[in-house]
């Protein structure tokens, strides 16, 4: 089992993409292996609240969402089931996660429903941890990371994961700002090394 990193920015080559690469490097240094998935590259339709996942009981998890066959949300969900741990690297947009990442997370309603129904394919997943590096342009704002943190916390709970305290980095705005901050780069690598070492 490997680690899976979800990169949430709509901006290719930006700060959180770099953070994702640093997480991957930290895991590699600790002896692990991590794949990065760029959520912006996936075609993701919004949850339409059709209620299908509420009404459906399924033995195979893929059949619980009415629009699963129409987009690539499932390709991103699938690695979570077997990953040793998952990590997010995302910017803050208007005090929250970028819309594509949030759209994908909303599609996780099917897992919340299956979890509530105690379906074994999800209820019996092993207890694991999830992690996040969040970057924001503003140097201040007491609750700058709170919306993103809570959404990630409740999303990963569906997969029997507990969200570790995110590494929240402020004052990182223009492309290249993170590369200029060696202290932040080191903290991300160390965070990932710890994540991997504590994940087994
Ligand atoms: C649509 C949008 C909304 C943003 N909202 C916030 C915000 O609420 N607070 C903040 O500190 N920075 C905000 N930012 C700045 C980004 O968090 C910052 O530029 C970050 O470094 C972008 O990461 P990236 O390079 O990985 O895309 C926003 C940026 C965009 C594009």
């Amino acid at each position: 089992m490997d680690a899976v990193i979800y990169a949430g920015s709509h901006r290719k080559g930006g700060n959180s993409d770099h953070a994702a690469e640093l997480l991957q490097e930290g895991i590699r240094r600790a002896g692990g292996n991590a794949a990065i998935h760029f959520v912006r590259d996936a075609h993701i339709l919004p949850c339409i609240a059709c209620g299908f996942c509420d009404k459906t009981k399924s033995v195979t998890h893929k059949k619980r969402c009415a629009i699963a066959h129409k987009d690539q949300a499932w390709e991103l969900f699938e690695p979570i089931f077997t990953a040793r741990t998952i990590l997010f690297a995302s910017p803050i947009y208007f005090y929250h996660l970028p819309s594509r990442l949030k759209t994908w997370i909303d599609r996780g309603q099917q897992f919340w429903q299956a979890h509530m129904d105690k379906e074994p394919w999800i209820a019996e997943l092993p207890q694991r941890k999830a992690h996040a590096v969040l970057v924001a342009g503003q140097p201040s704002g007491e609750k700058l990371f709170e919306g993103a943190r809570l959404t990630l916390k409740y999303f990963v709970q569906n997969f029997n994961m507990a969200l570790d305290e995110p590494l929240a980095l402020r004052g990182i705005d223009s492309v290249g700002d993170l590369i200029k901050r060696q202290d932040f780069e080191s903290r991300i690598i160390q965070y990932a090394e710890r994540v991997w070492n504590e994940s087994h």
Side-chain angles (χ1 to χ4, degrees):
M1 284 195 298
D2 293 332
V4 179
I5 300 167
Y6 292 98
S9 181
H10 299 177
R11 176 159 75 177
K12 189 175 179 184
N15 296 308
S16 54
D17 277 11
H18 183 48
E21 289 164 0
L22 294 169
L23 288 172
Q24 188 177 44
E25 171 61 15
I27 287 170
R28 191 194 61 76
R29 287 189 195 180
N33 191 35
I36 302 176
H37 294 280
F38 297 97
V39 178
R40 64 173 172 269
D41 291 341
H43 172 51
I44 314 272
L45 292 168
C47 170
I48 52 171
C50 65
F52 183 84
C53 64
D54 183 9
K55 290 175 228 117
T56 312
K57 301 271 179 283
S58 65
V59 275
T60 61
H61 37 293
K62 278 184 194 170
K63 295 196 174 152
R64 205 163 176 136
C65 178
I67 57 172
H69 60 289
K70 291 187 178 172
D71 71 359
Q72 297 173 306
W74 253 104
E75 288 170 34
L76 292 180
F77 288 133
E78 205 117 50
I80 301 179
F81 286 88
T82 51
R84 186 190 291 258
T85 184
I86 65 170
L87 305 94
F88 296 88
S90 179
I92 296 296
Y93 282 5
F94 279 93
Y95 273 68
H96 217 287
L97 298 169
S99 54
R100 182 72 63 101
L101 177 55
K102 179 62 164 57
T103 298
W104 177 63
I105 286 173
D106 287 349
R107 292 287 298 289
Q109 178 68 2
Q110 59 190 299
F111 306 114
W112 180 83
Q113 198 60 60
H115 211 266
M116 293 292 284
D117 291 343
K118 297 186 171 51
E119 293 198 8
W121 57 268
I122 192 147
E124 291 170 13
L125 285 172
Q127 296 287 335
R128 295 162 294 166
K129 275 197 172 179
H131 312 268
V133 174
L134 302 171
V135 299
Q138 290 300 311
S140 59
E142 198 193 329
K143 297 194 172 166
L144 191 51
F145 301 98
E146 204 51 12
R149 187 185 69 79
L150 287 171
T151 294
L152 292 174
K153 173 182 172 179
Y154 290 109
F155 170 63
V156 301
Q157 264 187 14
N158 294 320
F159 305 95
N160 286 345
M161 290 182 172
L163 183 72
D164 197 9
E165 189 58 33
L167 179 55
L169 304 174
R170 297 168 184 271
I172 301 293
D173 205 2
S174 305
V175 173
D177 275 1
L178 181 56
I179 293 172
K180 291 183 207 143
R181 292 292 304 262
Q182 262 192 348
D183 53 338
F184 283 173
E185 289 188 310
S186 302
R187 281 174 65 190
I188 296 170
I189 291 176
Q190 283 163 15
Y191 182 83
E193 287 178 300
R194 178 178 66 75
V195 163
W196 185 257
N197 288 330
E198 288 178 3
S199 67
H200 46 284

